[in-house]
Amino acid sequence: MSKKNLINSVTTAVDESLTGLSMTFPRLDLHLKKRVVLEPLWAEFSDKVTIICGGGSGHEPFASGFVGSGMLNAAIAGSIFASPPPSHILYALKCVSINNKAGTLVIIPNYTGDCLNFAIAIEKAKVDGIKVNEVIAADDCSIPENELGRAGKRGLCGILFIMKIAGALAQRKYNLEEVTKFAKLVSQNIATYGVGLTACTLPGKGLMFEIPNDEIEFGLGVHGEAGYERKKLQNVNEIVSQILKKLIETLLIRSNDSIAIIVNNFGGLSQLETGIVVKEIVTQCQLFRIKPLRVYSGILMSSLDSVGIHISILKFPENEKEQIINCLDDSTDAPQWPGKSFTVPFESEKFSIKEETVIFHKLGKKFNEHEERLFKECLLKASQAIIDKENYINDLDRGCGDGDCGSTLKQLAEAIVTSVEDLSLSHAASVFMELSYIAEEKMGGTSGALYSLMFTLAGKELANCDNENWPQLWHNAWKTAINGIMKYSKARIGDKTMLDAMVPGCSEFETNLSLSVIEIGKKIEKAVKDGCEATKKMTPKAGRASYVKQAEFLTQVDAGAYAVTTWITAIVNTILNF
C-alpha cells in the first residue's frame, strides 16, 4: 500500500523541495539545474578554505540546510537516496573556487555511489588546477567489524560534527592541510548507532519493508535498507542503554571522558519522543561519569518518513578538547542552526559559471552500413528490455537497496531511446562516450556512476584499438569496463553484484572468440543467466546490500546482475535475429 504524499510529481519532488528551501532562506543561492546550494556572496574574493558536502535527497535538512558561513560553502543534492552526479559536484567545486585559491575540503558520506561520484569530480577538478582534499565520513558502528563488507562503515549523521568543526576552522583561516588533518581526527572519534520503529516509504511507492508493531530494528540506516538485527520493542531506557553500550565500546570511552552528542530524528518520530531519547542518553552518560559537554537534537539527517533515531557521539581527544568545543560553539549562518539571519533577503548579483558545450568527436573504428544499423537496433532493444523490466528490477532491489534500481536504469534507457538519432552511430567509441555523459546526467547514484564508468572505459578502449576485428574489439572493451569497476568500486566476483553476471559472460566471450558470432552469442547469454542465478546463494559484500544481514532479504537474485542479464540477453537476441 502506498502512503499519501504531499507532492506534485515524483520526478520534480527534489527540485521543488530545493526551491522551497531557497524561498524560506532567500539569501541562499540555489542553482537548480545542478541542484547546488551556495552560501551568499560565494563568488566574492576569499582567502578562506571552502567546505562542501552532499548526497542523496530524502535526508533533509542534510546537506543544503547546513550551508552558511562557519559551516558549508556549498551542498549538492542528488535524487532521492541517490548520489549527485560528478558534473554537479564539479560545478560546486568550480563555484567555490572561482575567486578562492585557498582550496576546498570535500566531506563525503561513505556510500559507494557518493565515493565514486565525488571521486570522479575531485579528479576532474584537480585536472583543472583546483586544490582539493577530501575526508570520508564512516561512523556507523551497528555492524561488527568482522561482518563488514568491502564498502566499510556507512556515513551517518556523525558527519555533521565534521562539517561544523571543519567549517569553523576554515572560518578561522586555517589552511587546507590543517583543516583536513583536523577533520580526519574528528572523523576517527565519531560513532553512530540507530534504531527504527518503521521503515520509510519512497514517494509514490509502498513501504520499503515491514517491521511488526511489537518489534524494533537495530542498526537501521538512512536509505530504507533493513538493519542489522530485529528485537522485541522495549522501553526507551533499555533501547538507549544498548545503543550507548555499543558506542562506548566502539570509541573506547572511559569514565571522565568528554563527549558531544547528536540525537537525530529520522523524520517520523514525534518531538516528544525525541526529547525523551535526549534525556535518556544524557542521564545514562552521567551515570557512567561520562561528560556530555554539548548535546544537539532534531531532524538533521532524515530518512524521509521513517520513525526512528540515530545517536552520534564525538569523543573529544584530550589535547584538542578545548579547540573542538570552541569550533562547535562558533557562530554559523547555516539556516538549520537557530538564530540565523538568512530569512531576510537582500539584493545581490547572482553569479553562475557558464556551462561548457560538450562536444563528442568521432573516434576509433568506423562501422559499415549494416553494422551501424545493427548497433542502433541493439541499443534500442536493450533499452526497451530494461524499460519493460523496471518494476521487477525495483522489486529485487527492495530490502537490500532502496527499491529504485529499475527506475534508475529506466531513466538511462529512455534517454538512449530519445537521443538515439543524435548519437554518433557510425563510431562505437564515440557512442560510448556519449552514453557515459547520458548516464552521468540522467541516472545519478551508484548505478549512474558505474554505468558512466563502464561506458567511458569501453569507449576509451575502442578509440585506442581500431585495427582488430569487431569481436576482439568488443571483448577488449567489455573486459576493460569490468576491470575499471573492480578498480574503483571495491566490488569483486562473488560479492552479489552486477559483476557476477558480467564477468562470466566476458570470460565466455574470450574463450570462444574463434567461433561464429551466433555461437558466441548463445554462450554469452547462457553464462550471464547462470551467473545471475548464482547470486541467489551469495552474501552481498559490496554496495548498500552489504549492510543487510537478515536472510529473508537475501534470497533473490541481485537486481544489478538481473539488469545486466536483461540487456545482454536483448543484445544477443537482436544479433541472432537481425
Side-chain angles (χ1 to χ4, degrees):
M1 178 180 178
S2 294
K3 186 178 177 180
K4 299 175 184 177
N5 298 115
L6 288 176
I7 63 173
N8 294 310
S9 166
V10 173
T11 57
T12 62
V14 172
D15 292 341
E16 290 183 63
S17 180
L18 288 171
T19 302
L21 175 73
S22 69
M23 290 174 172
T24 307
F25 305 108
R27 289 193 177 187
L28 290 175
D29 193 359
L30 170 63
H31 294 200
L32 189 57
K33 186 176 180 181
K34 296 296 185 181
R35 292 178 174 172
V36 170
V37 176
L38 293 149
E39 66 170 349
L41 308 178
W42 58 270
E44 292 191 348
F45 174 81
S46 173
D47 58 354
K48 299 174 184 176
V49 169
T50 52
I51 314 291
I52 75 169
C53 187
S57 295
H59 304 306
E60 292 73 22
F62 176 85
S64 300
F66 303 113
V67 174
S69 62
M71 212 161 179
L72 297 180
N73 299 88
I76 314 97
S79 299
I80 296 174
F81 291 175
S83 170
S87 59
H88 294 189
I89 301 166
L90 181 60
Y91 180 87
L93 280 165
K94 288 182 176 180
C95 285
V96 300
S97 304
I98 193 169
N99 276 317
N100 188 321
K101 304 302 180 185
T104 300
L105 176 65
V106 181
I107 303 173
I108 308 170
N110 190 36
Y111 294 96
T112 303
D114 288 312
C115 290
L116 282 168
N117 284 307
F118 274 88
I120 293 169
I122 288 170
E123 292 303 321
K124 289 183 177 180
K126 289 178 179 178
V127 170
D128 290 337
I130 297 174
K131 188 177 179 182
V132 187
N133 282 353
E134 74 273 357
V135 60
I136 296 176
D139 51 309
D140 179 26
C141 66
S142 64
I143 300 175
E145 291 280 349
N146 61 352
E147 293 185 42
L148 284 171
R150 289 192 180 90
K153 297 180 178 181
R154 292 174 285 198
L156 301 176
C157 62
I159 196 173
L160 302 180
F161 282 128
I162 306 173
M163 290 160 51
K164 180 65 180 70
I165 293 165
L169 292 171
Q171 191 72 7
R172 292 173 178 225
K173 295 191 176 181
Y174 280 61
N175 66 41
L176 181 58
E177 295 308 318
E178 291 169 333
V179 174
T180 304
K181 181 180 178 180
F182 217 94
K184 290 181 178 179
L185 174 65
V186 171
S187 179
Q188 292 162 5
N189 284 277
I190 298 170
T192 301
Y193 199 106
V195 294
L197 304 178
T198 71
C200 66
T201 53
L202 291 172
K205 298 183 180 181
L207 203 63
M208 296 293 288
F209 61 93
E210 294 281 351
I211 302 176
N213 288 334
D214 63 341
E215 294 183 354
I216 187 169
E217 195 90 356
F218 279 77
L220 202 65
V222 289
H223 293 101
E225 70 271 44
Y228 176 71
E229 59 181 337
R230 192 169 291 179
K231 297 182 179 181
K232 289 295 181 182
L233 185 61
Q234 307 157 52
N235 289 333
V236 68
N237 62 336
E238 297 171 305
I239 294 169
V240 170
S241 176
Q242 294 174 63
I243 294 174
L244 182 57
K245 180 181 178 182
K246 184 66 176 179
L247 293 169
I248 289 173
E249 290 174 352
T250 301
L251 293 175
L252 302 177
I253 298 173
R254 298 178 177 85
S255 177
N256 293 318
D257 279 345
S258 299
I259 63 171
I261 299 170
I262 289 175
V263 176
N264 173 51
N265 185 332
F266 282 178
L269 194 70
S270 72
Q271 294 301 303
L272 178 76
E273 293 162 287
T274 304
I276 295 171
V277 173
V278 172
K279 174 260 179 186
E280 282 296 335
I281 187 67
V282 173
T283 301
Q284 292 189 30
C285 281
Q286 292 170 340
L287 289 174
F288 282 103
R289 296 186 179 180
I290 299 167
K291 302 172 184 177
L293 302 184
R294 298 292 184 274
V295 180
Y296 308 93
S297 73
I299 301 174
L300 303 172
M301 179 185 278
S302 63
S303 179
L304 292 172
D305 60 346
S306 181
V307 179
I309 53 101
H310 276 135
I311 297 177
S312 295
I313 285 182
L314 166 59
K315 177 185 175 182
F316 294 141
E318 192 58 39
N319 293 337
E320 289 82 13
K321 179 172 69 174
E322 183 176 346
Q323 188 173 13
I324 290 176
I325 292 173
N326 289 337
C327 287
L328 289 173
D329 291 345
D330 279 0
S331 63
T332 173
D333 290 334
Q336 295 301 334
W337 261 212
K340 300 304 165 214
S341 59
F342 280 9
T343 49
V344 181
F346 67 92
E347 295 298 322
S348 65
E349 185 181 355
K350 300 288 186 179
F351 295 87
S352 63
I353 295 176
K354 184 177 180 181
E355 189 171 357
E356 298 176 359
T357 302
V358 180
I359 300 174
F360 297 98
H361 301 286
K362 293 183 178 180
L363 306 168
K365 188 173 182 177
K366 184 179 180 180
F367 286 130
N368 61 38
E369 185 177 339
H370 173 81
E371 290 165 344
E372 182 177 333
R373 286 190 288 108
L374 174 57
F375 185 50
K376 176 182 177 181
E377 191 68 13
C378 286
L379 289 173
L380 291 172
K381 293 294 186 183
S383 298
Q384 189 58 52
I386 288 295
I387 293 170
D388 293 342
K389 292 291 186 178
E390 174 196 7
N391 292 332
Y392 184 70
I393 296 172
N394 281 342
D395 288 340
L396 292 175
D397 194 38
R398 298 184 197 280
C400 285
D402 51 26
D404 70 344
C405 181
S407 299
T408 302
L409 287 168
K410 181 185 176 184
Q411 292 172 347
L412 169 63
E414 289 182 334
I416 292 173
V417 172
T418 301
S419 60
V420 70
E421 297 297 340
D422 299 320
L423 299 177
S424 306
L425 292 170
S426 60
H427 291 74
S430 302
V431 171
F432 279 112
M433 292 302 184
E434 291 166 328
L435 293 181
S436 173
Y437 182 78
I438 292 172
E440 182 178 318
E441 289 293 310
K442 299 298 183 180
M443 295 176 72
T446 305
S447 296
L450 290 172
Y451 274 81
S452 178
L453 182 63
M454 281 197 300
F455 292 145
T456 297
L457 294 173
K460 181 180 177 182
E461 180 65 26
L462 289 171
N464 292 335
C465 302
D466 61 356
N467 294 323
E468 299 181 72
N469 58 55
W470 276 116
Q472 184 66 59
L473 283 172
W474 288 123
H475 167 263
N476 293 347
W478 191 353
K479 190 170 184 177
T480 300
I482 289 173
N483 290 339
I485 293 174
M486 291 194 289
K487 178 179 179 181
Y488 291 108
S489 74
K490 303 178 184 177
R492 296 292 181 270
I493 186 77
D495 286 355
K496 195 167 185 172
T497 69
M498 62 193 295
L499 288 176
D500 294 301
M502 292 189 71
V503 172
C506 186
S507 297
E508 198 70 17
F509 196 170
E510 184 173 22
T511 302
N512 296 284
L513 275 170
S514 61
L515 301 180
S516 68
V517 172
I518 293 177
E519 291 176 301
I520 293 174
K522 289 179 178 179
K523 289 182 178 293
I524 290 175
E525 181 180 3
K526 183 179 185 305
V528 295
K529 286 182 176 179
D530 290 346
C532 177
E533 185 67 18
T535 62
K536 283 183 177 180
K537 299 180 180 180
M538 294 179 184
T539 300
K541 297 177 183 178
R544 196 169 293 163
S546 65
Y547 301 114
V548 179
K549 303 301 178 182
Q550 297 179 55
E552 63 187 280
F553 299 110
L554 306 175
T555 58
Q556 293 183 304
V557 298
D558 176 68
Y562 184 84
V564 165
T565 302
T566 298
W567 57 258
I568 288 179
T569 298
I571 290 173
V572 169
N573 289 333
T574 301
I575 294 172
L576 297 182
N577 297 310
F578 192 74

